[in-house]
Amino acid sequence: MNPATPPTGENPDVIIVGGGIGGLSSAFALARQGLRVRVLERAPEFGEVGAGIQIAPNCTRILDEYGLLDEAKELGVLPENMVMRDALDSRELTRLDLRDVERRYGFPYMVIHRSDLHGIFLRACRRAGVELLTDRTVTDYEHTDGGARVHLADGSTEEAPVVIAADGLHSVARRKLVGDNVVSSDYVAYRAAVPIAEVRENGIAEKDVTVYVGPRCHFVQYALRGGDMFNQVAVFESPKALAGKDDWGTPDELDAAFAATCDTVRKGIPLMWRDRWWQMLDRDPIETWVHGRIALLGDAAHPPLQYMAQGAIMAIEDGWVFARHVARQTAVNAGADANTGADGSAGADANAGAPDWDAVLASYEAVRVEHCRRVQTTARAWGELWHLDGESRLQRNAIMRGRDDHDYGFTDWVYGPTALSPDEEPAMFTPIPLASARIEEQTGHVAHEVAQA
């Protein structure tokens, strides 16, 4: 489908607050439906910070529909495997054959620089006629009779039938409409993207996504930009955070956290950027994302911890779902308007062809809340699993080693097609309890004994 030409006029159909990946991908999705979309970004220019990002088949499927997948492939890397190893002894625990993942789900698993993915959506928005405004800091939201209004720091206001708040973890809209607090995991992430030549002697796997899981820490590695760069992420629990100190996650803690890990991990630690780090925060899931004609989207609605690599993907899915319901409700509304004027007595409705915004918003919230709640809670549990120590670590390792490489019970619910209604949401996986693995006391060998229900 080629982008429709957005209608002209002074006021937009939709205002999107936030020009990150979630805001721009949603703006493009809505512009493809012929809507006039205005994006308000507080920064002086559009851009993304960070390094690599993983995009699973539930995202590359949407990129393909948008006609953007080939561009993403040119900028990213299609790894061959996802391999999980123990960070202490480097032993392989489990893997996903990502070529088989593509065969199963129909679309590839890809890694790409965050700024490259953002740039893809920025260029797509420009081609689609999205109005992209920078230096626009939104300070407040209010409801109007026909939609919603935002207040800006310069004293001006903007309004539209619908306002989408895609303004991130520290969302102004979330603070006003929900009023909850962020939740600290006491973990912090360091990142780095370096030329591949700098790490080739470190025992890396250039063609894989490798995750080393260890006691209270983990380390992720994969190639970027056609294999020319190498991305690393080091995550650890901060003793300073646990002690309630404000200055936590500092470089001295980074070095200490990985001191006992295997050679490949230890060799990677000195390459991490040390002038910036990211405290790992999320929020508790909420049931209400829509308030009048104001809708939360992306991290403003469901900021997850990073363990499932689904944060940006969920935001892209949000926009895709929203736009699909715009298409459905526009068609329904157009048909109803045509029937109203069919006898010629009243003529066509002035809003003919406009979406039923209340129905769109209700449909969006009805399906996305539960899926994203699942991802948020699973990400928290996955983080706990990665960072186990002692006997629990050995039990986890035994269970992971017992997994068949082509068992997709833990990925079907998230990598499959994005649901458009609650009845399309697939069943969750069945967790395997740690107690199903037994440690033999004398040898320390772990036997995998999965209980048969």
Side-chain angles (χ1 to χ4, degrees):
M1 173 180 176
N2 295 320
T5 301
T8 58
E10 182 177 347
N11 293 321
D13 299 304
V14 179
I15 289 173
I16 296 179
V17 180
I21 289 172
L24 292 185
S25 61
S26 300
F28 177 64
L30 294 170
R32 293 175 80 239
Q33 301 301 327
L35 297 176
R36 180 179 175 85
V37 183
R38 179 176 296 163
V39 177
L40 306 178
E41 167 57 37
R42 67 180 180 179
E45 59 184 24
F46 286 93
E48 273 282 347
V49 296
I53 187 172
Q54 302 179 52
I55 47 178
N58 55 317
C59 181
T60 52
R61 177 183 295 108
I62 294 173
L63 292 179
D64 182 67
E65 180 180 315
Y66 289 169
L68 303 175
L69 182 56
D70 287 342
E71 184 180 359
K73 285 181 177 179
E74 290 177 2
L75 296 172
V77 171
L78 299 181
E80 294 181 358
N81 302 283
M82 180 182 293
V83 182
M84 182 167 285
R85 296 181 177 275
D86 188 289
L88 299 185
D89 60 23
S90 191
R91 291 182 62 190
E92 181 174 324
L93 302 179
T94 190
R95 68 170 53 212
L96 278 175
D97 180 337
L98 295 179
R99 293 157 296 188
D100 194 60
V101 165
E102 181 173 359
R103 286 190 289 270
R104 182 174 184 84
Y105 299 110
F107 297 91
Y109 196 104
M110 181 185 303
V111 291
I112 190 170
H113 200 288
R114 180 177 289 269
S115 64
D116 290 340
L117 182 61
H118 183 269
I120 288 171
F121 283 117
L122 182 60
R123 291 186 291 275
C125 282
R126 287 172 174 155
R127 291 192 299 268
V130 174
E131 189 177 7
L132 300 164
L133 304 179
T134 56
D135 283 315
R136 303 303 203 278
T137 300
V138 173
T139 59
D140 199 8
Y141 295 74
E142 68 173 311
H143 304 293
T144 66
D145 289 341
R149 179 181 298 121
V150 295
H151 294 255
L152 283 75
D154 63 4
S156 64
T157 62
E158 304 258 5
E159 59 183 89
V162 168
V163 171
I164 296 175
D167 49 347
L169 173 68
H170 300 289
S171 166
V172 172
R174 175 81 174 238
R175 183 168 65 245
K176 177 182 178 66
L177 300 172
V178 181
D180 60 339
N181 295 318
V182 297
V183 177
S184 175
S185 68
D186 297 325
Y187 278 76
V188 62
Y190 279 71
R191 296 185 169 92
V194 300
I196 193 78
E198 293 187 20
V199 295
R200 281 211 165 104
E201 303 303 317
N202 291 357
I204 63 166
E206 294 187 36
K207 295 184 179 181
D208 296 338
V209 175
T210 307
V211 184
Y212 293 87
V213 294
R216 295 170 296 281
C217 69
H218 74 268
F219 195 66
V220 182
Q221 295 181 317
Y222 52 83
L224 287 174
R225 291 183 170 160
D228 293 335
M229 296 188 71
F230 199 67
N231 186 70
Q232 298 190 141
V233 185
V235 176
F236 62 91
E237 186 178 49
S238 164
K240 292 180 183 178
L242 294 173
K245 296 182 179 180
D246 293 332
D247 180 25
W248 61 275
T250 48
D252 59 307
E253 291 192 302
L254 167 69
D255 293 330
F258 290 92
T261 57
C262 64
D263 286 347
T264 299
V265 174
R266 287 202 315 274
K267 289 177 181 178
I269 295 300
L271 299 174
M272 307 310 294
W273 297 329
R274 290 174 176 250
D275 60 342
R276 51 189 148 162
W277 50 89
W278 289 260
Q279 295 174 352
M280 296 187 67
L281 313 172
D282 69 354
R283 290 182 188 266
D284 292 330
I286 54 173
E287 296 295 321
T288 303
W289 296 4
V290 174
H291 301 259
R293 292 288 185 86
I294 303 168
L296 302 177
L297 182 143
D299 279 357
H302 46 74
L305 296 177
Q306 293 92 324
Y307 301 106
M308 289 191 63
Q310 284 282 314
I313 294 175
M314 286 193 292
I316 292 168
E317 286 183 310
D318 287 348
W320 180 82
V321 168
F322 201 101
R324 287 293 295 268
H325 283 296
V326 165
R328 289 183 176 185
Q329 296 301 332
T330 300
V332 169
N333 202 28
D337 291 335
N339 291 335
T340 298
D343 62 1
S345 60
D349 189 286
N351 293 320
D356 179 340
W357 284 118
D358 295 327
V360 169
L361 292 164
S363 298
Y364 163 71
E365 184 178 63
V367 66
R368 293 303 294 160
V369 165
E370 174 59 14
H371 176 80
C372 296
R373 182 197 66 79
R374 291 177 174 186
V375 173
Q376 285 182 278
T377 55
T378 302
R380 286 177 172 180
W382 199 230
E384 293 175 2
L385 185 70
W386 285 15
H387 299 141
L388 294 173
D389 197 1
E391 180 176 316
S392 296
R393 164 180 165 257
L394 298 177
Q395 291 173 317
R396 175 205 65 200
N397 289 358
I399 291 172
M400 286 188 170
R401 289 191 187 109
R403 173 190 164 271
D404 186 285
D405 289 350
H406 296 93
D407 176 6
Y408 293 105
F410 292 93
T411 57
D412 282 345
W413 72 278
V414 67
Y415 290 174
T418 303
L420 283 168
S421 60
D423 62 293
E424 294 179 359
E425 186 69 28
M428 281 285 285
F429 62 88
T430 301
I432 300 175
L434 287 177
S436 68
R438 178 176 57 84
I439 299 176
E440 297 179 358
E441 295 182 2
Q442 293 183 346
T443 65
H445 176 70
V446 182
H448 182 206
E449 299 177 349
V450 178
Q452 299 297 317

